[in-house]
């Protein structure tokens, strides 16, 4: 079995973001970076499947600048076998279509049985790369999976729907699966596995000149709104204050 897993390096969401000088993206100064959280679940599921089948190969692919290699190394240390790094300093100028097309062009001839991606990236949040990759590969795609089972060459997943509903889907490979938070518990790379990962292949390739269907024209900070008012006092006082506010500032009470 051949398994593909796609990862992206993103800023730590606890970072303090600033816009770049052109208002086209965020400034990377003083930011810490890590593997996209959704992708960690994808890597873990790919490695678990490899361990279950015993004869699988897991290939990790990532599009991003030089620093993105750190996310690739982490995936290798978690148990992936080899990697393809599409080295692209202008990664943020590519939309989801272009990213998926780049990945497709470098993996299309490998005939992967299963491709895992994160549901979405934490910086852009479009949730489109996995779906578009499936379209390019002409594979079915099941999104937002929260449970995964492989048995007798068949896959059964539970996926998250709107309103707290869940759906169980069965499918035979090949397939693309996008992974939701909580699918599993991503492992921490051990020191021996980190050392082993240094010997694994990371194939660096150039990005392809693919078409963008979406262009960022401007990014701005959220509009500042009025500050919150915190009410204090005993229950009777709070009720009176709340009623006064509703009467004065809303049309709920007249």
């Amino acid at each position: 079995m051949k398994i593909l897993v796609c990862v992206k390096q993103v800023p730590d969401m606890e970072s303090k973001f600033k816009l770049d000088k052109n208002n086209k993206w965020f400034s990377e100064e003083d930011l810490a970076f890590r593997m996209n959280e959704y992708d960690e679940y994808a890597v873990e599921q790919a490695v678990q499947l490899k361990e279950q089948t015993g004869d699988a190969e897991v290939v990790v692919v990532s599009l991003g600048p030089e620093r993105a290699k750190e996310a690739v190394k982490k995936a290798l240390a978690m148990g992936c076998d080899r990697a393809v790094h599409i080295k692209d300093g202008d990664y943020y100028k590519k939309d989801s279509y272009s990213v998926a097309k780049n990945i497709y062009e470098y993996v299309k001839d490998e005939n992967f049985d299963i491709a895992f991606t994160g549901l979405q990236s934490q910086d852009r949040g479009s949730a489109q790369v996995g779906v578009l990759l499936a379209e390019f590969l002409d594979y079915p795609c099941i999104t937002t999976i929260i449970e995964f089972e492989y048995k007798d060459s068949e896959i059964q997943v539970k996926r998250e729907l709107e309103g707290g509903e869940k759906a169980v889907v069965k499918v035979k490979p090949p397939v693309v699966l996008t992974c939701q938070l909580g699918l599993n518990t991503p492992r921490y790379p051990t020191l021996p596995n980190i050392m082993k990962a240094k010997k694994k292949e990371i194939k660096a390739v150039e990005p392809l000149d693919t078409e963008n269907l979406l262009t960022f024209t401007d990014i701005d900070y959220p509009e500042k709104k009025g500050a919150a008012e915190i009410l204090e006092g005993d229950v009777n006082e709070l009720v009176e204050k709340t009623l006064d506010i509703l009467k004065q500032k809303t049309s709920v009470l007249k």
Side-chain angles (χ1 to χ4, degrees):
M1 176 182 288
K2 293 191 68 172
I3 305 169
L4 173 69
V5 60
C6 304
V7 305
K8 182 179 183 181
Q9 190 192 49
V10 298
D12 189 316
M13 292 299 117
E14 298 298 320
S15 303
K16 188 173 183 179
F17 287 83
K18 297 178 183 177
L19 299 184
D20 67 12
K21 60 182 180 182
N22 298 317
N23 281 16
K24 297 293 185 184
W25 196 237
F26 50 79
S27 170
E28 297 190 357
E29 292 183 7
D30 302 323
L31 291 182
F33 289 87
R34 53 163 293 172
M35 184 191 294
N36 181 48
E37 187 176 3
Y38 295 87
D39 300 345
E40 291 185 351
Y41 291 88
V43 173
E44 176 61 34
Q45 200 58 60
V47 174
Q48 284 188 16
L49 181 57
K50 171 191 168 184
E51 293 170 342
Q52 177 189 342
T53 60
D55 62 351
E57 180 189 37
V58 181
V59 180
V60 57
V61 62
S62 181
L63 184 148
E66 177 65 24
R67 58 171 167 71
K69 198 156 56 176
E70 294 305 313
V72 172
K73 289 179 179 177
K74 180 176 180 179
L76 293 174
M78 290 174 71
C80 296
D81 297 294
R82 59 184 172 88
V84 177
H85 176 204
I86 306 171
K87 193 174 173 181
D88 187 356
D90 290 331
Y91 72 98
Y92 60 92
K93 297 179 181 177
K94 286 184 167 55
D95 65 1
S96 299
Y97 178 89
S98 182
V99 172
K101 185 69 172 177
N102 261 268
I103 294 172
Y104 165 74
E105 292 294 341
Y106 282 110
V107 306
K108 63 182 180 182
D109 296 327
E110 295 219 35
N111 298 317
F112 286 100
D113 298 289
I114 302 176
F116 291 99
T117 74
L119 167 63
Q120 61 186 354
S121 63
Q122 291 172 287
D123 57 354
R124 183 167 290 179
S126 68
Q128 293 297 304
V129 171
V131 178
L132 288 165
L133 178 61
E135 186 68 20
F136 288 132
L137 289 169
D138 197 23
Y139 288 4
C141 181
I142 305 174
T143 58
T144 62
I145 68 166
I146 54 174
E147 288 183 13
F148 175 91
E149 181 180 347
Y150 177 77
K151 186 177 180 181
D152 299 331
S153 301
E154 186 175 70
I155 296 165
Q156 177 173 301
V157 299
K158 182 180 285 185
R159 61 185 300 259
E160 191 174 63
L161 305 177
E162 297 291 336
E165 299 293 329
K166 309 290 189 302
V168 176
V169 182
K170 292 184 177 180
V171 64
K172 289 185 177 295
V175 64
V176 175
L177 304 170
T178 76
C179 303
Q180 172 64 294
L181 303 182
L183 171 63
N184 49 49
T185 303
R187 67 193 70 188
Y188 289 103
T190 62
L191 182 58
N193 286 337
I194 292 173
M195 300 306 292
K196 289 179 184 176
K198 293 183 178 180
K199 298 179 181 178
K200 295 180 179 178
E201 177 191 8
I202 301 178
K203 183 179 180 181
V205 297
E206 295 297 319
L208 303 174
D209 186 17
T210 49
E211 178 186 13
N212 273 326
L213 303 183
L214 178 72
T215 304
F216 280 98
T217 58
D218 188 48
I219 298 178
D220 208 343
Y221 293 105
E223 182 180 351
K224 290 186 178 181
K225 298 181 179 179
E229 181 178 353
I230 299 176
L231 304 180
E232 296 180 344
D234 61 30
V235 174
N236 292 331
E237 290 178 343
L238 291 175
V239 171
E240 291 299 325
K241 289 179 180 177
T242 303
L243 289 173
D244 287 342
I245 291 173
L246 291 174
K247 290 177 181 176
Q248 294 173 13
K249 298 185 177 181
T250 75
S251 58
V252 175
L253 298 175
K254 294 183 179 178

